[in-house]
Amino acid sequence: MAMTGVLRPGHAVIRVLDLDESVTFYTEVMGLKETGRDKSGRVYFKCHDELDHNSVVLRKADKAGLDCFAFKVLNKATLDTLAGRLKDYGIATERLPAGEMLETGERVRFQLPTEHVIELYAEKTNVGNGLGRTNPDPWLKDTKGINPTRMDHCLIYGPDIDANRKIFEEVLDFTLVERVKLEDGSTDLATWLTCSAKAHDIAMVRHAEPGKLHHVSFLLETWEQVLRAADLMSMSRTSIDIGPTRHGITRGTTIYFFDPSGNRLETFCGGYDFYPDMEPITWTWDEVGAGIFYHDRKLNERFLTVVT
Ligand SMILES: [Fe+2]
């Protein structure tokens, strides 16, 4: 098997203001499946084609935003190796015991220079996608709402995204896939990185305030499902930020919208496959609008300013 190290985004812990309203939204509109609640009141969900117990966790709080974003690594030995590499790089890590999150093994937690909390873990209970692993049907009947395939990536906002990128590249073996340059032609406004063959597993935008969430994104399989998702958002009076449209960056088709607490989410489809022998793509400042929103060819103010 070619893939080692960090495998993929694993879970996003999202802060919400009203738990009941949020559970209804993530269940009925997003179509995620609730898989459990823990003693501290966190509610766990998975998307329909995910095998592991959870990928989205909601925590009630006074402020919306992202508590942490986690990546699943190959196995426990890999977790120990990466924890050692973080330490050698000078990054403080904390170990959270197995079971602190439902059905989730030991986690290694650390903070990025942008103050976002990242976790690595190797084990999460495989509850399956309901289709089995022998002669499976292609999809489940009786699904709800938008029904994304998986939680796919996140975009975070903070000041020192250069230091963030170095950690992802030098410690966790991520690769730079795309970048947007500022007017000076050298400073990165934004970077897209992958740990896999996806166009991105995490992205970051330079922003004065640390620790901010721009969006958590969910994969759909077709452009028609993106259109259907927009219909469902309108039917449920969900606040749409922009879309359906296309990103020039990654080529993904997209809708940005908000959960009831104001956290921006994305449903998207597409994006090319990335392999390590490919050069990163660069977007220049004069074409940044087309990079973000390919049809409008200009940024809206909200893209750069509305974060949780
Ligand atoms: Fe995205």
Side-chain angles (χ1 to χ4, degrees):
M1 186 168 75
M3 275 195 74
T4 58
V6 180
L7 298 182
R8 61 174 178 269
H11 59 254
V13 182
I14 300 170
R15 294 191 300 273
V16 296
L17 306 178
D18 181 322
L19 196 60
D20 291 340
E21 181 187 30
S22 302
V23 168
T24 300
F25 174 81
Y26 280 86
T27 306
E28 303 295 327
V29 179
M30 287 300 291
L32 306 193
K33 184 179 179 205
E34 183 179 329
T35 52
R37 298 190 181 208
D38 68 20
K39 281 183 288 188
S40 67
R42 291 174 295 187
V43 186
Y44 295 68
F45 300 86
K46 70 180 278 298
C47 302
H48 81 263
D49 206 26
E50 290 168 335
L51 304 176
D52 287 353
H53 179 270
N54 59 77
S55 60
V56 171
V57 182
L58 301 184
R59 181 175 77 81
K60 182 177 162 40
D62 295 333
K63 244 175 100 178
L66 185 69
D67 270 353
C68 82
F69 195 76
F71 294 92
K72 191 174 193 185
V73 307
L74 181 63
N75 52 33
K76 284 178 89 168
T78 304
L79 187 66
D80 290 338
T81 301
L82 292 173
R85 285 169 66 171
L86 285 164
K87 189 161 167 268
D88 293 344
Y89 196 84
I91 297 167
T93 58
E94 182 189 354
R95 288 204 177 233
L96 291 104
E100 196 281 331
M101 270 181 61
L102 286 187
E103 306 294 335
T104 304
E106 186 182 31
R107 289 129 64 206
V108 171
R109 177 183 283 181
F110 65 98
Q111 200 177 75
L112 291 171
T114 52
E115 298 184 16
H116 295 89
V117 174
I118 300 293
E119 292 178 351
L120 307 175
Y121 68 92
E123 295 175 329
K124 208 184 271 290
T125 305
N126 183 324
V127 296
N129 59 5
L131 299 167
R133 305 305 286 174
T134 305
N135 310 326
D137 289 324
W139 44 269
L140 283 175
K141 288 184 279 188
D142 305 324
T143 55
K144 279 184 181 171
I146 294 168
N147 191 31
T149 302
R150 66 174 182 236
M151 191 277 288
D152 188 85
H153 65 267
C154 72
L155 173 56
I156 56 176
Y157 270 41
D160 194 354
I161 62 166
D162 307 317
N164 275 15
R165 177 164 65 82
K166 276 169 69 82
I167 292 166
F168 278 108
E169 286 180 336
E170 294 174 20
V171 183
L172 302 176
D173 293 331
F174 281 54
T175 310
L176 178 70
V177 179
E178 301 210 25
R179 72 194 331 161
V180 173
K181 292 289 185 188
L182 281 172
E183 256 173 318
D184 66 9
S186 63
T187 311
D188 284 328
L189 166 66
T191 50
W192 283 255
L193 296 118
T194 188
C195 62
S196 62
K198 289 158 57 186
H200 57 329
D201 289 297
I202 190 165
M204 50 201 87
V205 169
R206 192 179 303 276
H207 180 74
E209 254 185 305
K212 292 296 175 182
L213 170 68
H214 188 271
H215 67 264
V216 174
S217 187
F218 295 86
L219 179 70
L220 297 173
E221 286 171 10
T222 67
W223 168 237
E224 189 163 7
Q225 286 180 8
V226 177
L227 182 66
R228 179 179 171 277
D231 292 343
L232 289 166
M233 288 173 204
S234 185
M235 287 177 201
S236 60
R237 307 299 187 267
T238 298
S239 173
I240 293 181
D241 180 7
I242 193 165
T245 184
R246 182 195 286 280
H247 294 306
I249 295 160
T250 75
R251 298 185 199 148
T253 53
T254 178
I255 310 167
Y256 286 151
F257 57 102
F258 296 99
D259 80 356
S261 307
N263 293 302
R264 188 187 280 96
L265 305 177
E266 176 183 41
T267 48
F268 89 106
C269 163
Y272 52 84
D273 295 336
F274 181 85
Y275 290 92
D277 61 343
M278 291 161 67
E279 287 288 315
I281 289 172
T282 298
W283 292 81
T284 55
W285 180 247
D286 56 317
E287 289 290 337
V288 64
I292 305 295
F293 301 122
Y294 189 65
H295 300 154
D296 288 358
R297 301 193 76 83
K298 60 176 188 290
L299 280 181
N300 64 9
E301 185 62 17
R302 289 189 304 278
F303 181 84
L304 287 175
T305 57
V306 177
V307 288
T308 54

